[in-house]
Amino acid sequence: MATDAPVVVGEDGLSRPAWASADPMMQDYYDTEWGMPVRDERGMFERLSLEAFQSGLSWATVLRKRPAFRRAFDEFDPDTVAAYDEADVERLMADAAIVRNLSKIRATITNARATVGLRERGGLVEFVWSFQPESTPEPRSIEEVPTTSPESLALAKALRKEGFAFVGPTTMFALMEAVGIVDTHLVGSHRRGSSGVWTT
């Protein structure tokens, strides 16, 4: 059911959903990055990792810690992270600037190794983008934005088969939104259709 005010018009005259309208950091992320196509391996691995860390937390919390995550995980270079050992796990668990969750830290290392392993079959980027649906949602309110899709369920299952961890269907749908595979910008938002992937 659509709300009375699905988008908020900012002082700059641009329409955004409420979640991207109050916090300047979230507004900048929404305006410049969220939903734009990610086509490089490091970028995709970073988004995959951060979405896993976000599970159970607010995205704002993770976004605020993003610079610290990048420092802690060597800019999310898959080869470097894939070589991490127990000393690195201890180092990361002692780093108060990031989210210190042992399961998520180990999953990031596991996923780096799986990312390296996927290269011989086209790589992580091609793999994730192969689950792009034939159409994208056209939500008019936050309530109409899906949290999963048949494609996110299939992607989660396929990634787990390739050895990835912390890649549930809800997390994978959030990844698909973040990297432009689906466009869930609200109809009426100034960002709707801006990725170039979808014309609606």
Side-chain angles (χ1 to χ4, degrees):
M1 197 73 180
T3 59
D4 291 335
V7 293
V8 177
V9 179
E11 292 181 1
D12 55 8
L14 299 177
S15 299
R16 303 175 182 87
W19 69 262
S21 300
D23 183 335
M25 176 192 68
M26 293 292 280
Q27 180 176 309
D28 181 67
Y29 174 69
Y30 180 82
D31 284 352
T32 63
E33 184 176 354
W34 189 70
M36 296 304 289
V38 173
R39 305 278 190 181
D40 66 291
E41 182 189 70
R42 189 209 62 80
M44 186 66 79
F45 174 61
E46 177 184 359
R47 301 320 192 283
L48 181 82
S49 301
L50 293 179
E51 291 294 350
F53 273 104
Q54 186 271 332
S55 180
L57 303 171
S58 73
W59 178 245
T61 297
V62 172
L63 195 59
R64 233 170 246 112
K65 292 176 178 287
R66 190 183 198 179
F69 272 114
R70 285 176 168 171
R71 287 192 299 272
F73 283 96
D74 290 287
E75 302 298 320
F76 289 99
D77 176 71
D79 292 290
T80 304
V81 178
Y84 281 4
D85 57 18
E86 285 303 308
D88 290 294
V89 173
E90 291 178 14
R91 169 181 62 82
L92 291 162
M93 284 298 292
D95 189 343
I98 66 169
V99 175
R100 292 180 288 182
N101 180 296
L102 183 59
S103 296
K104 293 176 181 180
I105 288 169
R106 290 196 184 281
T108 304
I109 299 168
T110 294
N111 292 348
R113 293 169 182 162
T115 296
V116 172
L118 269 180
R119 288 176 185 162
E120 61 190 33
R121 295 195 306 285
L124 179 63
V125 174
E126 183 178 310
F127 190 90
V128 172
W129 274 91
S130 73
F131 289 85
Q132 181 182 342
E134 292 184 4
S135 62
T136 192
E138 297 183 29
R140 296 183 177 277
S141 68
I142 291 295
E143 291 80 5
E144 291 181 6
V145 178
T147 56
T148 62
S149 68
E151 293 80 15
S152 78
L153 268 77
L155 174 58
K157 183 177 179 179
L159 284 170
R160 284 195 297 268
K161 188 176 179 180
E162 296 294 334
F164 286 79
F166 257 95
V167 287
T170 301
T171 300
M172 288 306 93
F173 190 79
L175 175 70
M176 294 167 84
E177 292 179 289
V179 303
I181 294 174
V182 294
D183 185 350
T184 56
H185 288 290
L186 299 184
V187 174
S189 163
H190 83 97
R191 291 297 316 284
R192 182 74 190 173
S194 62
S195 70
V197 176
W198 303 99
T199 56
T200 57

